[in-house]
Amino acid sequence: MVDAFCATWKLVDSENFDDYMKALGVSFATRQVGNVTKPTVIISQEGDKLVVRTQSTFKNTEISFKLGDEFDETTADDRNCKSIVTLDGDKLVQVQKWDGKETKFIREIKDGKMVMNLTFEDIHAVRTYEKA
């Protein structure tokens, strides 16, 4: 099922992302950049690892991991997290933990688009990507 995610994706829609970033404690200046940046996300499988590269004019990040194994991640807003990614049916679920806090991303394919639901505490954002 991971194969469905393996593609190059371009952000086409973003809902409530500013409130989500604000809840995470992202600075005003970084949020302004984050709100206008349209990142490209490249997901690939390399051996037994999944690789997620995020490229934008603001910052490039890359994570490489085995499903179900915890790994260290430094986020685009410079949080140092312990992350884990699992496959839940046809959904790719990522949990980031840092400083006693936790956020969750659920990626799924809907109508050929990758829809990413982000949740932190009671704040919910949705980012929609189309194949590039």
Side-chain angles (χ1 to χ4, degrees):
M1 188 57 220
V2 172
D3 292 350
F5 294 95
C6 293
T8 299
W9 303 93
K10 180 75 177 161
L11 182 72
V12 293
D13 189 49
S14 186
E15 300 169 29
N16 211 35
F17 193 56
D18 187 62
D19 286 344
Y20 173 80
M21 289 188 294
K22 190 184 297 183
L24 290 179
V26 176
S27 72
F28 177 78
T30 301
R31 287 197 329 267
Q32 295 310 300
V33 173
N35 282 323
V36 297
T37 301
K38 302 278 190 208
T40 297
V41 177
I42 303 160
I43 301 177
S44 60
Q45 196 159 10
E46 297 178 8
D48 60 352
K49 291 191 171 186
L50 205 56
V51 180
V52 179
R53 294 177 180 91
T54 304
Q55 300 173 342
S56 72
T57 53
F58 171 58
K59 195 168 198 174
N60 295 332
T61 63
E62 179 177 322
I63 56 175
S64 175
F65 53 88
K66 288 183 184 178
L67 288 174
D69 286 359
E70 187 177 70
F71 61 95
D72 295 316
E73 177 181 7
T74 301
T75 64
D77 59 318
D78 288 324
R79 285 176 292 116
N80 293 311
C81 302
K82 292 284 187 188
S83 294
I84 190 166
V85 181
T86 56
L87 197 58
D88 180 8
D90 59 354
K91 297 175 182 174
L92 206 53
V93 179
Q94 180 174 355
V95 176
Q96 294 176 335
K97 295 181 180 182
W98 76 102
D99 299 338
K101 299 174 185 173
E102 178 178 310
T103 187
K104 182 185 281 189
F105 312 145
I106 299 175
R107 294 176 176 96
E108 58 188 318
I109 308 299
K110 288 185 177 176
D111 300 324
K113 296 179 182 181
M114 182 173 68
V115 179
M116 183 174 174
N117 287 279
L118 305 92
T119 305
F120 177 68
E121 295 173 346
D122 61 345
I123 305 294
H124 182 77
V126 180
R127 312 256 287 166
T128 303
Y129 298 80
E130 290 182 347
K131 285 189 178 177

